[in-house]
Amino acid sequence: MIPDKAPKDDVFHAAEDLKAKAHVPSFEKYKELYDKSIENPDEFWGDISKDFFWKTKHTGPFMDYNFDVTKGKIFIKCMEGASTNICYNLLDRNVHHRKLGNKVAFYWEGNEPGDEMTVTYRELLQRVCRFSNVLKSQGVKKGDRVSIYMPMVVELVVAMLACARIGAVHSIVFAGFSADALCERILDSQCSLLITADGFYRGDKLINLKLIADEALQKCRDKEFPVRRCIVLKHLSKETEQAPPGCPSPPAKRPCPDLQVPWNPDVDACWHALLRGVSDECEPEWCNSEDALFVLYTSGSTGKPKGVLHTVGGYMLYTATTFKLVFDYQPDDVYWCTADIGWITGHSYITYGPLANGATSVLFEGLPTYPDVGRMWDIVDKYHVSKFYTAPTAIRLLMKYGSQPVQQRSRASLKVLGTVGEPINPEAWQWYYNVVGEKRCPIVDTFWQTETGGHVLTPLPAATPMKPGSATFPFFGVVPAVLNESGEELEGPSEGYLVFKQPWPGLMRTVYGNHQRFESIYFNKFPGYYVTGDGCRRDKDGYYWITGRIDDMLNVSGHLLSTAEVESSLVEHESVAEAAVVGRPHPIKGESLYCFVTLNQGVTYNAALEAQLRKQVRDKIGAIATPDFIQNAPALPKTRSGKIMRRVLRKIARNERDLGDISTLADSSVVEQLFENRCSV
């Protein structure tokens, strides 16, 4: 599974000073721990579980599961019979037992520079207890689902941890989603209460969140599911009466006294008004390890989002352990994950993983380019960020503006850099490593999914030599395999379907309300394996390379081509900032390559450049991968989280106008521009 020795050629190594105090200081130590985690997972995870508080101990095996649909119902269980409370472990344990009450939990940085707030662990515990009591006063009880639709403010963390404290199940919906998307998620998980805010700014753009929430609630009523209560945080509009002590919402640097906040007194209640006179003590609800913690919706291949359900005990252990080891967390670190809590990255690596370790994190409301393209590096210097975790999309965006905005800031505090969300192309990896990290910060290029709960393929900063663009090796307890179309395991260097042979504590348990869909999506195709839906290549050194979603694999004249590989070749050209490749039916070859390219500022698209790009791909991959069509795309259709909507690009390539639901697009006008500039076929 893992080679006995680390490769020495064509790899990058961490600095020796990082290795000196690393949790996993060498490849040999990684290999030793990994083998133990596979040979005796009960002992490996059992030792880790001792760091946490359990009201009662588990009675059966540490992990129990069935991955084979031919042998019965699929199930995954971790520490069944044990009881705990994840909020207690994140806050009470750190305040009372680890004496971290005065340590900063979050540096909150608002959209506007200078809009800031600091929250300690003790303050966060008090705020969570107060809001837990508010939820209980509204009739919320263990097992109830609560929808949260909020910007990146401290109150979002308070709301989700308050749910966890009383045993309610939170369902967070990204604040960039539409009323239709919010309504669909509320209906699917039958949420009894909605928590939202009046509005927020993303850069210069004002988002009137309450209007969108009201539209969603009306749609719910139209479908005969009235949500009985909506708690509204006044983030931008002025609160006429003073907020209770210990519950400040920072004054916005760009106040909106005239913000229209419609109010339905039968449904709406003010966050601050509900907190007045409420106790800052609240006993946690002790939950079974396998009780539901949250539901988070992710895109489904059918277009209907699926509610991924994670449970209390296993998710806590896995996010805490991956955070500690993948970022080599040390007590004096300041950590910053730039994701939104509305996505799994924010759940696992802003809230649960860091707080379980007593870490100090930055919580950022704004955009990487507002008010200028140096904002991220200003924040790194301001808070002395040592561990930094962001998406390849953000890296490529900032690459467009060159190295000067980065090099004008110090960044001396940085020690480890991470990437998440999609495979990073080698050119962006090199820029991140050379320019941002100044060749001294290892990069942890993490592969995982909403479904996996945490990192499953990842480097460890001091232990595993890095290859640009590779997700490297499996995390502890994770057993990957590469299968061919017939479901046979491939050995050695190979390419095929990425699957996993056994569960880890943080793996999802079901699709909320539809276990049959869970089995169908993840287990039916190859019985006995969890199927990721991603293609994968394993090289001669045992490193894993994610080649893209299986539906992003193209069959051209009998050859399986990875769209990610073609995109990487295009982006290596100095003129190209971003690329997306989709398939278009071809009468002879089966599929042809249709490429969309976004150029760097100041570059003109012409026939000479197009010829260079074709040659670049042909030289990098081979003649079979030569693009049939290349379209200049000043912008690509992206969701508000920055992911490219490839199904829309497929429609454009085929000149098919029935696009389906595109409500999650950040800018729908991009689509019409791309249709107008299609390549002539």
Side-chain angles (χ1 to χ4, degrees):
M1 177 65 67
I2 304 298
D4 291 328
K5 292 185 179 180
K8 295 182 179 179
D9 299 327
D10 302 319
V11 292
F12 294 77
H13 296 273
E16 290 303 318
D17 61 337
L18 184 76
K19 295 184 177 185
K21 61 175 184 177
H23 296 297
V24 186
S26 66
F27 186 82
E28 291 72 25
K29 185 64 176 177
Y30 161 68
K31 167 85 171 151
E32 175 192 330
L33 288 172
Y34 179 80
D35 288 346
K36 177 185 176 183
S37 75
I38 301 307
E39 293 162 7
N40 195 339
D42 286 17
E43 181 183 337
F44 179 84
W45 291 109
D47 287 345
I48 290 170
S49 72
K50 293 172 185 175
D51 290 337
F52 297 89
F53 177 82
W54 304 91
K55 190 73 170 175
T56 59
K57 306 300 181 185
H58 67 284
T59 50
F62 192 91
M63 293 288 299
D64 192 15
Y65 72 99
N66 173 42
F67 270 13
D68 191 339
V69 290
T70 67
K71 296 180 179 178
K73 183 179 179 180
I74 299 296
F75 69 90
I76 304 111
K77 296 176 182 177
C78 176
M79 297 183 72
E80 191 174 28
S83 61
T84 189
N85 183 280
I86 195 168
C87 178
Y88 182 93
N89 278 285
L90 269 54
L91 300 180
D92 306 65
R93 181 177 64 100
N94 282 319
V95 172
H96 300 307
H97 303 293
R98 301 182 69 200
K99 307 302 180 187
L100 299 178
N102 294 327
K103 185 175 184 180
V104 173
F106 289 107
Y107 291 114
W108 181 77
E109 176 83 7
N111 182 65
E112 300 293 327
D115 194 2
E116 61 194 50
M117 180 172 62
T118 300
V119 180
T120 66
Y121 272 85
R122 180 172 290 106
E123 290 166 341
L124 186 57
L125 173 58
Q126 291 170 342
R127 295 179 69 169
V128 168
C129 284
R130 283 195 185 100
F131 198 68
S132 298
N133 287 325
V134 165
L135 290 178
K136 290 203 291 187
S137 75
Q138 297 298 313
V140 179
K141 57 187 184 301
K142 182 179 178 181
D144 288 350
R145 279 78 59 210
V146 174
S147 180
I148 304 175
Y149 184 59
M150 298 180 78
M152 285 285 284
V153 291
V154 173
E155 289 86 353
L156 171 52
V157 176
V158 170
M160 65 195 297
L161 292 184
C163 289
R165 191 170 191 84
I166 66 172
V169 179
H170 61 72
S171 172
I172 299 178
V173 179
F174 173 55
F177 275 162
S178 66
D180 283 330
L182 175 58
C183 169
E184 182 176 31
R185 287 155 175 78
I186 289 173
L187 291 173
D188 188 76
S189 52
Q190 300 282 286
C191 294
S192 60
L193 183 143
L194 172 65
I195 306 169
T196 190
D198 49 4
F200 67 102
Y201 279 100
R202 268 185 84 73
D204 274 323
K205 186 177 181 181
L206 173 64
I207 311 294
N208 193 322
L209 209 58
K210 180 62 164 59
L211 280 178
I212 302 169
D214 281 355
E215 185 183 346
L217 293 181
Q218 183 57 54
K219 290 176 182 290
C220 289
R221 285 190 288 272
D222 292 345
K223 295 182 180 181
E224 298 183 346
F225 186 79
V227 175
R228 54 184 173 78
R229 179 66 72 213
C230 176
I231 298 177
V232 184
L233 173 74
K234 293 193 174 180
H235 178 52
L236 293 184
S237 54
K238 289 184 177 178
E239 177 60 30
T240 52
E241 298 178 52
Q242 187 160 353
C247 292
S249 187
K253 295 294 176 183
R254 189 191 294 186
C256 292
D258 299 324
L259 179 69
Q260 296 299 308
V261 184
W263 204 259
N264 178 356
D266 294 331
V267 175
D268 297 332
C270 173
W271 174 292
H272 289 303
L274 290 172
L275 284 167
R276 292 192 185 96
V278 172
S279 170
D280 62 4
E281 292 186 4
C282 177
E283 274 297 304
E285 181 76 30
W286 301 110
C287 301
N288 189 291
S289 177
E290 281 301 312
D291 281 346
L293 174 63
F294 66 83
V295 175
L296 183 60
Y297 287 85
T298 186
S299 299
S301 57
T302 62
K304 177 179 169 56
K306 52 185 181 285
V308 171
L309 186 138
H310 284 285
T311 52
V312 174
Y315 179 82
M316 176 177 73
L317 291 180
Y318 201 69
T319 54
T321 308
T322 47
F323 174 80
K324 178 181 179 179
L325 300 183
V326 172
F327 299 108
D328 192 42
Y329 167 70
Q330 304 292 337
D332 58 350
D333 277 331
V334 176
Y335 162 82
W336 181 21
C337 170
T338 67
D340 193 288
I341 291 176
W343 309 109
I344 189 63
T345 304
H347 281 57
S348 297
Y349 299 116
I350 294 179
T351 301
Y352 288 107
L355 291 177
N357 282 276
T360 295
S361 297
V362 174
L363 185 66
F364 180 46
E365 183 188 28
L367 295 172
T369 55
Y370 179 82
D372 59 59
V373 296
R375 181 72 186 278
M376 292 176 94
W377 320 121
D378 285 336
I379 294 172
V380 166
D381 285 355
K382 177 178 179 178
Y383 297 111
H384 307 290
V385 172
S386 52
K387 309 292 167 71
F388 180 70
Y389 195 34
T390 195
T393 296
I395 296 166
R396 289 192 294 267
L397 170 67
L398 296 171
M399 278 176 66
K400 288 176 64 174
Y401 300 96
S403 58
Q404 188 176 4
V406 185
Q407 293 168 341
Q408 286 173 340
R409 280 80 176 175
S410 165
R411 293 158 290 112
S413 59
L414 288 173
K415 294 179 182 177
V416 174
L417 304 174
T419 65
V420 60
E422 59 184 297
I424 185 170
N425 55 296
E427 188 194 35
W429 192 100
Q430 293 278 8
W431 187 86
Y432 198 30
Y433 181 76
N434 293 325
V435 177
V436 177
E438 297 176 321
K439 300 183 180 180
R440 58 182 176 78
C441 299
I443 292 177
V444 287
D445 176 10
T446 61
F447 169 77
W448 58 297
Q449 304 169 311
T450 303
E451 295 88 339
T452 69
H455 308 134
V456 285
L457 299 177
T458 176
L460 297 179
T464 43
M466 300 165 285
K467 292 188 179 186
S470 170
T472 315
F473 295 118
F475 190 72
F476 303 114
V478 176
V479 185
V482 181
L483 305 186
N484 63 16
E485 187 66 48
S486 301
E488 299 164 328
E489 284 193 31
L490 304 174
E491 301 296 330
S494 49
E495 185 163 349
Y497 293 88
L498 174 64
V499 299
F500 294 109
K501 300 171 72 170
Q502 66 185 45
W504 49 94
L507 183 62
M508 73 180 290
R509 301 307 197 246
T510 189
V511 169
Y512 184 83
N514 194 341
H515 196 73
Q516 184 179 353
R517 189 180 183 197
F518 173 60
E519 294 183 342
S520 172
I521 293 170
Y522 303 105
F523 298 96
N524 276 6
K525 186 173 180 66
F526 299 120
Y529 301 92
Y530 166 83
V531 181
T532 65
D534 281 289
C536 176
R537 175 171 62 86
R538 185 171 51 217
D539 69 17
K540 63 181 177 60
D541 297 317
Y543 281 61
Y544 290 85
W545 302 72
I546 304 303
T547 54
R549 298 297 293 173
I550 293 297
D551 55 10
D552 289 338
M553 304 287 283
L554 304 181
N555 195 322
V556 179
S557 299
H559 296 269
L560 205 60
L561 289 178
S562 159
T563 58
E565 195 173 5
V566 179
E567 288 164 5
S568 183
S569 298
L570 289 166
V571 172
E572 283 183 27
H573 193 283
E574 61 184 6
S575 299
V576 178
E578 195 164 25
V581 177
V582 297
R584 187 181 185 283
H586 189 279
I588 298 172
K589 297 190 293 183
E591 286 185 294
S592 59
L593 290 166
Y594 194 110
C595 309
F596 298 84
V597 295
T598 302
L599 304 181
N600 285 313
Q601 283 187 322
V603 177
T604 302
Y605 190 87
N606 53 39
L609 175 59
E610 185 170 309
Q612 288 176 25
L613 295 176
R614 281 199 167 89
K615 182 177 185 300
Q616 172 114 349
V617 176
R618 189 166 57 246
D619 291 348
K620 286 283 180 183
I621 305 176
I624 191 67
T626 305
D628 298 87
F629 307 97
I630 303 178
Q631 178 175 341
N632 181 26
L636 293 169
K638 295 182 180 181
T639 66
R640 292 169 180 85
S641 66
K643 287 197 174 182
I644 298 168
M645 288 190 74
R646 295 173 193 278
R647 67 173 180 83
V648 172
L649 291 178
R650 291 188 195 97
K651 294 285 189 179
I652 293 167
R654 301 172 187 191
N655 200 21
E656 296 172 356
R657 293 275 179 167
D658 54 323
L659 299 177
D661 179 18
I662 57 171
S663 62
T664 58
L665 279 179
D667 182 6
S668 57
S669 66
V670 167
V671 175
E672 190 54 40
Q673 294 170 15
L674 291 174
F675 267 115
E676 290 174 1
N677 295 305
R678 280 183 71 256
C679 298
S680 54
V681 178

